[in-house]
């Protein structure tokens, strides 16, 4: 079994005081949650800095050289028991979503074409074919010592200093450097994200649309279609998706992009959580998932 400690990062933009949360944890006798004393800006594109702050804080209090760090967000939820036993035999969990050419996933395109310092460091550690590795961050896990080596490169080479490019670096930096170090994941992240199913459908549509060279205003059409898909409840986490995961009947997702066919949750796959769930405590899906435990 695994003894887990939860480390919480409180954003600078938080609507509550850090001290109030400390008091709330004490009142409810929650002794396995620690609050990172540092608070950083968590506006979109800056999340990796909060992750790094958490990792360095954990390293400062760690007494076990074999510690592992798992990433979660406030809009994901665990839906079933058994995670401790699953993790007890695992060292690293991340996707190996390889991009060797441009595709529809725009963060990969930015990383490959605009983040020159990052790509240069990848080549130094052995990834010489101008490719990157992507992974969902929620439900991913890395050994602490590996993350500290990654942070050393990021900070020594000032990889976060370029404010002219903005993308979710944590979904590319961590898995790319780990892969470059020769780390092979034991499993994919254990949190199901609805965005992958949406990507499969939307990118299949985009590929078909792009094949019709004579159709004008393709970008506008794609924006409209993607917005409709995002707002479609069938593409959001719902009871059916949760129940399918509980019964191990999740539909297979296979995404073709960047010249690479990728399965985010290859079967059979151990999944223990879902995202994205509305952060409202009274959200119907949040209430339903809480009723399962």
């Amino acid at each position: 079994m695994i003894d887990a400690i939860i480390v919480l990062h409180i954003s600078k933009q938080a609507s509550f005081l850090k001290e109030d949360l400390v008091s709330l944890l004490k009142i409810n006798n929650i002794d396995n949650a620690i609050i990172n004393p540092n608070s950083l800006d968590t506006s979109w594109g800056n999340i990796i800095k909060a992750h790094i702050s958490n990792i360095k804080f954990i390293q400062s209090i760690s007494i076990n050289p074999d510690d592992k760090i798992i990433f979660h967000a406030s809009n994901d939820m665990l839906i079933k028991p058994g995670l401790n036993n699953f993790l007890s035999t695992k060292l690293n969990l991340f996707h190996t979503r390889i991009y060797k050419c441009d595709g529809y996933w725009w963060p990969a395109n930015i990383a490959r074409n605009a983040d020159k310092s990052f790509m240069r460091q990848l080549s130094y550690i052995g990834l010489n074919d101008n490719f990157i590795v992507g992974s969902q961050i929620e439900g991913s896990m890395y050994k602490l010592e590996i993350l500290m080596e990654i942070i050393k490169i990021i900070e020594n080479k000032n990889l976060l200093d370029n404010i002219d490019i903005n993308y979710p670096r944590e979904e590319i930096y961590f898995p790319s450097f780990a892969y470059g170090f020769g780390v092979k994941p034991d499993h994919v992240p254990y949190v199901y994200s609805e965005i992958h199913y949406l990507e499969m459908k939307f990118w299949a549509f985009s590929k078909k649309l792009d094949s019709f060279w004579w159709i004008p205003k393709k970008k506008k059409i794609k924006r409209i279609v993607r917005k409709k898909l995002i707002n479609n409840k069938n593409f959001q986490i719902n009871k059916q998706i949760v129940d399918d995961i509980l019964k191990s009947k999740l539909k297979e997702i296979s995404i073709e992009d960047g010249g690479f066919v990728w399965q985010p949750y290859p079967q059979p796959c151990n999944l223990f959580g879902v995202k994205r769930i509305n952060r409202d405590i009274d959200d119907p899906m949040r209430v339903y998932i809480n009723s399962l435990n």
Side-chain angles (χ1 to χ4, degrees):
M1 301 295 285
I2 291 177
D3 294 321
I5 297 295
I6 300 170
V7 174
L8 301 171
H9 173 269
I10 309 301
S11 171
K12 269 189 176 181
Q13 295 98 319
S15 59
F16 58 88
L17 295 176
K18 191 179 300 184
E19 293 74 17
D20 292 340
L21 181 56
V22 171
S23 298
L24 193 61
L25 292 174
K26 288 182 178 179
I27 291 172
N28 289 277
N29 296 316
I30 299 174
D31 57 7
N32 67 332
I34 302 174
I35 297 176
N36 183 342
N38 302 302
S39 292
L40 303 178
D41 170 24
T42 55
S43 56
W44 197 91
N46 285 315
I47 300 297
I48 189 172
K49 295 179 181 179
H51 287 312
I52 290 174
S53 177
N54 269 352
I55 295 165
K56 292 171 72 175
F57 173 63
I58 292 170
Q59 197 275 335
S60 73
I61 62 175
S62 172
I63 59 174
N64 185 352
D66 294 322
D67 273 344
K68 297 169 284 189
I69 293 181
I70 303 170
F71 296 91
H72 277 278
S74 57
N75 62 352
D76 70 49
M77 294 186 72
L78 297 179
I79 63 174
K80 65 180 182 181
L83 183 56
N84 275 355
N85 287 335
F86 169 71
L87 293 176
S88 65
T89 60
K90 305 292 185 293
L91 295 179
N92 300 279
L93 311 176
F94 59 92
H95 289 125
T96 50
R97 185 179 188 176
I98 295 173
Y99 273 79
K100 293 186 177 181
C101 61
D102 287 356
Y104 290 120
W105 191 40
W106 64 268
N109 299 338
I110 291 181
R112 291 183 63 257
N113 301 313
D115 201 343
K116 302 298 184 182
S117 297
F118 164 61
M119 294 302 295
R120 188 159 50 247
Q121 294 309 310
L122 281 187
S123 68
Y124 288 160
I125 64 171
L127 295 188
N128 297 314
D129 296 326
N130 197 35
F131 77 91
I132 59 98
V133 179
S135 175
Q136 170 186 310
I137 188 70
E138 294 84 5
S140 64
M141 178 174 76
Y142 301 84
K143 290 193 69 176
L144 174 57
E145 61 181 0
I146 292 171
L147 289 171
M148 291 306 298
E149 287 299 313
I150 293 172
I151 291 173
K152 186 184 300 183
I153 295 175
I154 292 173
E155 294 186 336
N156 287 348
K157 302 302 179 180
N158 302 312
L159 298 189
L160 302 182
D161 285 359
N162 189 347
I163 60 175
D164 294 327
I165 53 175
N166 195 15
Y167 68 99
R169 287 177 167 91
E170 65 278 1
E171 295 188 353
I172 293 177
Y173 278 23
F174 295 161
S176 292
F177 281 124
Y179 191 91
F181 292 157
V183 176
K184 297 295 186 284
D186 303 299
H187 196 272
V188 300
Y190 57 78
V191 175
Y192 172 87
S193 172
E194 88 292 358
I195 195 66
H196 298 311
Y197 183 68
L198 185 149
E199 286 176 345
M200 179 179 72
K201 295 296 186 180
F202 177 59
W203 291 346
F205 163 79
S206 298
K207 185 178 180 180
K208 187 71 173 178
L209 179 65
D210 288 340
S211 69
F212 300 123
W213 59 267
W214 62 88
I215 296 180
K217 299 182 179 179
K218 290 189 178 70
K219 288 185 178 180
K220 183 177 180 180
I221 294 173
K222 290 176 185 177
R223 282 197 300 269
I224 293 172
V225 171
R226 191 173 191 277
K227 185 175 181 180
K228 286 183 177 295
L229 291 178
I230 290 175
N231 293 327
N232 187 325
K233 290 186 177 180
N234 291 326
F235 289 90
Q236 299 170 3
I237 296 298
N238 52 51
K239 288 184 179 181
Q240 185 64 57
I241 291 174
V242 171
D243 291 344
D244 284 347
I245 293 174
L246 292 174
K247 298 174 184 177
S248 299
K249 293 183 177 180
L250 185 68
K251 294 179 181 178
E252 184 176 287
I253 300 175
S254 183
I255 302 173
E256 183 179 354
D257 187 39
F260 178 73
V261 178
W262 175 63
Q263 292 180 307
Y265 313 112
Q267 301 298 330
C269 187
N270 288 287
L271 293 170
F272 292 88
V274 294
K275 76 177 294 281
R276 299 172 174 85
I277 304 296
N278 192 307
R279 292 178 175 88
D280 182 356
I281 197 67
D282 296 319
D283 176 77
M285 276 309 304
R286 191 170 285 272
V287 171
Y288 174 67
I289 292 172
N290 280 331
S291 73
L292 300 174
N293 301 317

